[in-house]
Amino acid sequence: MPHISYDNKEIAFKLVYCGPGLSGKTTNLARLHTMLAEHVRSKMISLDTAEERTLFFDFCPIEIGTIEGYRVRFNMYTVPGQIYYEASRRLILDGADGVVFVADSQRDRIDDNIISFELMQENLRSYHIDVPDFPLVLQYNKRDCAEALPIGTLEAHLHLANIDVFEAVATEGVGVMETVRCVCRRMVNRFQID
Amino acid sequence: MSMCAKQQILLVDDDSDLVWGLGRFLIRAGYAVTSCGDGGEAVLILETRSFHALVTDIQMPHVNGLALIEWARQNRPTMRVLVMTAFGSTSLREVVSRSGATLYAEKPVDLDLILRMLRAETRDSFSGIVDDIDLFDYVQLVIATKHQVVMEVISRKGERGQVFFDRGNARHAACGDLVGEAAFFRCLSFEGGTFRSLPWVDPDQATIHRSGEHMLMEAARIKDELSRDKSVQLDEPECDFGTDGGGAERHGDGTNVSTDFQIG
């Protein structure tokens, strides 16, 4: 459930980007940050974690408007992939309202994608988040690579039915905004239905 | 404050000098103070009159402070309880915290802190005891709610630190000889202990300038990397004697344990 600040009249949703190392989680967030107008986004903060950086920032999209008079804010995070980042992963994933799983479309990364997805599911379950009923979007990133994994491959391996899927080339900004729009809409809808 | 609006304080201590000094201080601060020297007497007074707060010592001749605060918890649950003791210990602090006391202070007591605790209650808010909570969760909540609060953290080993949270950001922290970010990270690396929220007071200096969320994430990262380094050392107890290689080199995994950061 999002954090509701009654004093500030604000509802804050937590959106987390998961995926195997170097699949493009930070690139997604960094590109998104540059695409958003300055007055709706905070500064991007970057921590040097092993192999890749952990990024986070928040933004208040004007187009979403307000919910019952409350301004909507999205807190965006990438999660460090290494196993030993347990406190960080818990801090980021616990209480998440939505997840974008950024898969690497390169064929030799299929096992990494599957292992990472299963680890994410396990983490979410340990924080009492029920995956089937959760705003989760699958993004196939790096669609410009040679012989990219066909769409449907991971869904079949991971038995994912009816999951929202997007294709992206995050380095060029392709598919980045579409992915985030979809998951944000689903988070807000779920909150309003709840 | 008019006469009829004066809040009643019951002050219980067998140290007459302390009763006199603290009593005068509270009266000057606008409170009506009743005092006595033993827990048994205090119960008799509490049975007949109502008080805004009870300020009590622990070590007393007949009925001690622990029995008194237990009686108060059962019979006067809305009354604020502030505890002072000259014989402080980690276990006593824990017992007092669990009894629902608002403040546990070791003598000599900080008079301003007692006053702040008494005044803090006038706000439209709750206080209570939370057990078995992750310190990161609590700090996250303090940051998200943008409250002004001084959080005191005490580790199981008795190490103590304070973090000043000011509307979503940590402005200052102190822990032993450490101040600023190093103190903040130290407090959040404690492996178990107790914490309490004290009323806000401006810190003497602002030693932390990064956002609250950034500090929290950084604390988690440092904690994770410290645990990893510990486990690596446990796994490799016999390696590297007589070499000058640093910890990061020993791991040989190319990991970056730098605390550098960038703001894009």
Side-chain angles (χ1 to χ4, degrees):
Chain A
M1 183 180 159
H3 176 77
I4 304 168
S5 171
Y6 296 96
D7 285 347
N8 304 321
K9 288 244 158 199
E10 189 176 277
I11 301 175
F13 292 88
K14 193 189 229 186
L15 173 57
V16 183
Y17 279 66
C18 297
L22 308 176
S23 67
K25 305 182 288 290
T26 56
T27 310
N28 259 275
L29 233 60
R31 289 301 304 214
L32 178 66
H33 191 256
T34 60
M35 288 172 181
L36 295 165
E38 261 183 51
H39 64 279
V40 300
R41 59 165 158 90
S42 71
K43 277 185 179 171
M44 168 89 87
I45 291 176
S46 166
L47 304 181
D48 282 336
T49 39
E51 287 190 25
E52 55 192 345
R53 292 173 301 155
T54 294
L55 302 183
F56 58 102
F57 70 93
D58 59 77
F59 74 102
C60 295
I62 294 162
E63 60 268 28
I64 285 197
T66 58
I67 299 175
E68 306 281 337
Y70 282 65
R71 191 166 63 139
V72 178
R73 175 181 298 279
F74 293 98
N75 295 323
M76 320 283 288
Y77 300 83
T78 61
V79 68
Q82 288 68 31
I83 296 285
Y84 56 83
Y85 280 110
E86 195 185 331
S88 305
R89 198 160 34 246
R90 178 165 188 271
L91 188 65
I92 294 168
L93 267 180
D94 197 0
D97 298 295
V99 165
V100 173
F101 185 85
V102 181
D104 192 326
S105 294
Q106 298 177 97
R107 280 183 187 266
D108 61 353
R109 300 293 314 274
I110 185 162
D111 288 344
D112 294 334
N113 287 324
I114 290 168
I115 290 167
S116 174
F117 193 93
E118 286 172 345
L119 178 66
M120 176 198 74
Q121 277 185 312
E122 201 178 297
N123 284 153
L124 290 173
R125 271 195 293 268
S126 73
Y127 307 137
H128 312 291
I129 294 172
D130 186 17
V131 178
D133 183 36
F134 185 72
L136 171 65
V137 169
L138 173 61
Q139 183 195 76
Y140 281 86
N141 191 27
K142 306 187 187 176
R143 297 309 289 166
D144 55 343
C145 71
E147 295 186 45
L149 283 173
I151 301 295
T153 312
L154 291 172
E155 296 92 306
H157 272 93
L158 294 161
H159 311 293
L160 302 170
N162 305 320
I163 189 169
D164 289 306
V165 178
F166 290 86
E167 295 184 80
V169 184
T171 49
E172 291 169 22
V174 176
V176 169
M177 194 56 94
E178 292 79 356
T179 305
V180 78
R181 269 203 197 107
C182 172
V183 72
C184 286
R185 196 171 52 241
R186 284 196 50 200
M187 286 192 293
V188 172
N189 285 346
R190 183 173 188 241
F191 173 67
Q192 288 179 313
I193 290 164
D194 284 351
Chain B
M1 192 182 283
S2 68
M3 283 300 289
C4 61
K6 270 189 181 174
Q7 290 182 323
Q8 302 282 330
I9 308 289
L10 179 58
L11 177 56
V12 190
D13 200 315
D14 57 339
D15 177 347
S16 54
D17 287 345
L18 185 138
V19 168
W20 189 83
L22 181 54
R24 265 171 66 93
F25 175 78
L26 293 174
I27 288 166
R28 282 181 182 161
Y31 293 96
V33 179
T34 302
S35 66
C36 64
D38 182 68
E41 276 180 75
V43 168
L44 292 175
I45 296 169
L46 285 168
E47 278 178 331
T48 56
R49 291 170 52 193
S50 68
F51 287 86
H52 166 72
L54 166 70
V55 181
T56 181
D57 186 22
I58 291 290
Q59 203 85 2
M60 290 182 288
H62 304 296
V63 175
N64 71 26
L66 287 179
L68 173 60
I69 59 179
E70 178 56 24
W71 183 92
R73 193 175 68 84
Q74 301 275 350
N75 297 281
R76 301 288 181 271
T78 59
M79 182 175 65
R80 193 147 271 220
V81 177
L82 282 66
V83 173
M84 317 170 285
T85 181
F87 305 98
S89 69
T90 309
S91 52
L92 179 61
R93 176 186 291 278
E94 227 171 292
V95 170
V96 169
S97 300
R98 284 171 189 279
S99 73
T102 310
L103 176 71
Y104 166 92
E106 288 174 15
K107 293 177 182 175
V109 291
D110 177 347
L111 297 179
D112 288 333
L113 178 60
I114 288 197
L115 203 55
R116 292 207 317 270
M117 295 305 286
L118 289 170
R119 286 179 174 160
E121 197 200 7
T122 56
R123 292 182 311 158
D124 185 16
S125 60
F126 288 85
S127 60
I129 312 163
V130 182
D131 259 340
D132 201 22
I133 187 172
D134 189 301
L135 193 57
F136 276 83
D137 286 342
Y138 178 71
V139 171
Q140 201 172 11
L141 181 70
V142 170
I143 289 171
T145 52
K146 295 185 171 23
H147 279 169
Q148 279 188 311
V149 71
V150 180
M151 184 181 79
E152 186 176 61
V153 195
I154 299 128
S155 77
R156 286 216 179 94
K157 293 174 184 164
E159 197 176 354
R160 186 181 303 203
Q162 282 195 334
V163 183
F164 292 68
F165 288 102
D166 186 7
R167 289 164 291 206
N169 293 309
R171 261 174 65 187
H172 174 60
C175 182
D177 294 334
L178 302 173
V179 290
E181 294 192 353
F184 181 95
F185 298 141
R186 178 76 197 141
C187 289
L188 267 82
S189 72
F190 288 168
E191 287 171 1
T194 58
F195 68 87
R196 59 177 179 167
S197 298
L198 305 174
W200 175 253
V201 59
D202 279 321
D204 296 336
Q205 50 183 337
T207 54
I208 298 174
H209 305 287
R210 293 197 250 178
S211 73
E213 210 168 29
H214 193 167
M215 291 296 294
L216 190 61
M217 299 275 292
E218 191 74 336
R221 181 184 73 79
I222 290 170
K223 189 176 182 181
D224 286 334
E225 290 178 356
L226 282 174
S227 331
R228 177 202 57 182
D229 292 348
K230 269 188 203 166
S231 66
V232 169
Q233 279 163 15
L234 287 173
D235 291 346
E236 301 170 3
E238 291 172 27
C239 69
D240 278 340
F241 288 117
T243 73
D244 59 356
E249 284 175 39
R250 276 203 304 275
H251 305 155
D253 58 3
T255 50
N256 177 3
V257 293
S258 147
T259 54
D260 290 345
F261 67 100
Q262 303 145 12
I263 296 177

